[in-house]
Amino acid sequence: MNMEARVGVVLEGGQRALNSASTHGSIVDAGARKFLQQHNNKQSPQHSQLGTVQQLLAGGVAGAFSKTCTAPLARLTILFQVQGMHSDVTALSKASIWQEASRVINEEGFRAFWKGNLVTIAHRLPYSSVSFYAYERYKSFLQPVLGVENHRVNGTADLAVHFIGGGMAGITAASATYPLDLVRTRIAAQRNTMYYRGIWHAFHTICREEGFLGLYKGLGATLLGVGPSIAISFSVYESLRSFWHSKRPNDSTIMVSLACGSLSGIASSTATFPLDLVRRRMQLEGAGGRACIYTSGLFGTFAHIIHTEGFRGMYRGILPEYYKVVPSVGIVFMTYETLKMLLSRIPAS
């Protein structure tokens, strides 16, 4: 499920920063987060001590760079997800990823793969900032409540702090920055007709035609997916890593983290992708002056899609989502590590 509400908690020695690399965002950050946690514990102190500003900058840039590199697959996912909204489902062509990519190039040009990516990049830093700040606040509240104080490690309680704090921070950040995510979806879903000519034009047009609340269409599906996404990412990653180390204890930590992080991302995507698809479609309700289709709320939208398109309709676009999991994990942690090494030379304020 490629949604920006998915929170990744980057653990650096005694410090923690939040970074969302959809999602989503994203589920793949679980692998990157765990790799960074293990890898940083092996590094020298000067490389692991970053100030808040440096952490936010490194996480934001790493996430933005990862999003930019995988933007073509992200746009293909959106284009597949919204098929059937305003078309006769029985007449839909069963285009492959390659056929759809070829159509985009022929009809819109190669640069069209990055439609909406500027909004995605603009979304990164505020999302990371809100996530980081909210996580620290929630952590400060939860530690005494759950008995994790004075930096003493209590396995179950410490995990609960990360899980609950991360989920609440994800909900907070997703709610605060959601209009940017909606605008990004509407721009990326456009084909040849450019109804929204840019970020500010999209904001102005949506507010004028649909009211201020139009910027929050689909928020319910986003918030509903945060908890399951984090839970699946954590549990699948930890289970796979423990099993792997029990069978092959001498394998490279980097390779284990990449493999387990990617598999946890795939598992989370599979489980929560229908929520992401519903979110996208609800975000496009009334876009471009079109009539609304899903008028019965979140669960009514689920029922409508299953009735008209079948259960398989809930997984339109899942393949390009799968394909971007592995590169997203690799790009995030490699970019983050490089920036961390460079920024560690700048004194923290």
Side-chain angles (χ1 to χ4, degrees):
M1 181 179 182
N2 182 29
M3 59 170 60
E4 274 65 15
R6 294 171 184 152
V7 174
V9 183
V10 179
L11 303 176
E12 289 206 8
Q15 304 177 19
R16 290 165 178 87
L18 280 164
N19 176 37
S20 120
S22 264
T23 180
H24 209 163
S26 74
I27 48 172
V28 298
D29 284 335
R33 173 184 60 245
K34 292 298 182 180
F35 166 77
L36 292 172
Q37 178 184 11
Q38 297 158 6
H39 188 57
N40 286 331
N41 288 337
K42 299 180 180 181
Q43 289 188 320
S44 57
Q46 64 267 29
H47 282 172
S48 63
Q49 298 302 316
L50 289 183
T52 300
V53 174
Q54 289 98 325
Q55 288 180 21
L56 290 176
L57 181 60
V61 172
F65 184 62
S66 174
K67 289 282 188 179
T68 300
C69 292
T70 58
L73 288 170
R75 182 159 190 247
L76 288 174
T77 297
I78 293 175
L79 290 175
F80 277 114
Q81 283 179 323
V82 301
Q83 283 181 349
M85 279 193 70
H86 300 283
S87 306
D88 181 1
V89 177
T90 59
L92 285 177
S93 60
K94 297 182 179 179
S96 65
I97 295 176
W98 176 251
Q99 289 173 324
E100 182 64 15
S102 299
R103 184 204 64 77
V104 171
I105 294 173
N106 293 333
E107 296 181 8
E108 305 175 56
F110 186 73
R111 292 179 59 187
F113 282 120
W114 282 268
K115 275 185 180 178
N117 190 58
L118 183 60
V119 194
T120 301
I121 294 174
H123 176 269
R124 297 300 306 171
L125 283 178
Y127 187 95
S128 296
S129 299
V130 174
S131 295
F132 181 87
Y133 180 82
Y135 178 74
E136 291 299 322
R137 300 288 75 75
Y138 290 133
K139 183 185 69 174
S140 299
F141 170 77
L142 291 169
Q143 281 180 335
V145 173
L146 298 176
V148 184
E149 299 179 89
N150 301 322
H151 302 286
R152 288 183 288 108
V153 177
N154 179 328
T156 303
D158 193 51
L159 180 61
V161 169
H162 298 323
F163 180 79
I164 299 173
M168 293 173 68
I171 289 173
T172 302
S175 301
T177 61
Y178 188 79
L180 282 168
D181 183 52
L182 181 136
V183 167
R184 180 256 177 156
T185 298
R186 294 206 176 183
I187 293 177
Q190 294 182 130
R191 296 202 174 195
N192 296 322
T193 303
M194 298 297 292
Y195 191 81
Y196 303 109
R197 298 190 297 272
I199 299 175
W200 298 116
H201 180 259
F203 272 111
H204 180 265
T205 303
I206 293 169
C207 288
R208 185 184 71 245
E209 296 180 353
E210 304 168 51
F212 179 75
L213 292 180
L215 294 170
Y216 288 89
K217 289 181 177 178
L219 178 61
T222 296
L223 301 185
L224 192 62
V226 173
S229 177
I230 295 175
I232 294 169
S233 292
F234 261 104
S235 58
V236 173
Y237 181 90
E238 291 293 352
S239 299
L240 288 174
R241 188 171 64 90
S242 298
F243 178 77
W244 192 313
H245 281 312
S246 68
K247 299 295 183 181
R248 303 176 63 90
N250 298 322
D251 282 357
S252 165
T253 300
I254 295 177
M255 294 308 300
V256 172
S257 296
L258 270 175
C260 295
S262 299
L263 290 172
S264 71
I266 290 172
S268 183
S269 280
T270 303
T272 58
F273 191 82
L275 273 172
D276 191 49
L277 181 138
V278 168
R279 174 178 71 107
R280 297 294 188 199
R281 295 204 177 183
M282 294 184 76
Q283 285 178 332
L284 291 170
E285 279 283 79
R290 289 181 171 180
C292 292
I293 301 172
Y294 310 113
T295 58
S296 52
L298 177 61
F299 296 104
T301 301
F302 270 105
H304 184 279
I305 295 173
I306 292 174
H307 177 72
T308 57
E309 302 175 49
F311 184 75
R312 290 181 62 183
M314 301 300 300
Y315 283 90
R316 290 185 186 276
I318 190 69
L319 287 181
E321 181 74 7
Y322 284 159
Y323 293 155
K324 72 180 182 182
V325 168
V326 177
S328 292
V329 172
I331 293 169
V332 165
F333 86 70
M334 284 189 292
T335 306
Y336 185 89
E337 281 295 293
T338 301
L339 290 172
K340 183 171 69 70
M341 184 171 58
L342 295 174
L343 292 172
S344 63
R345 302 170 186 173
I346 303 175
S349 57

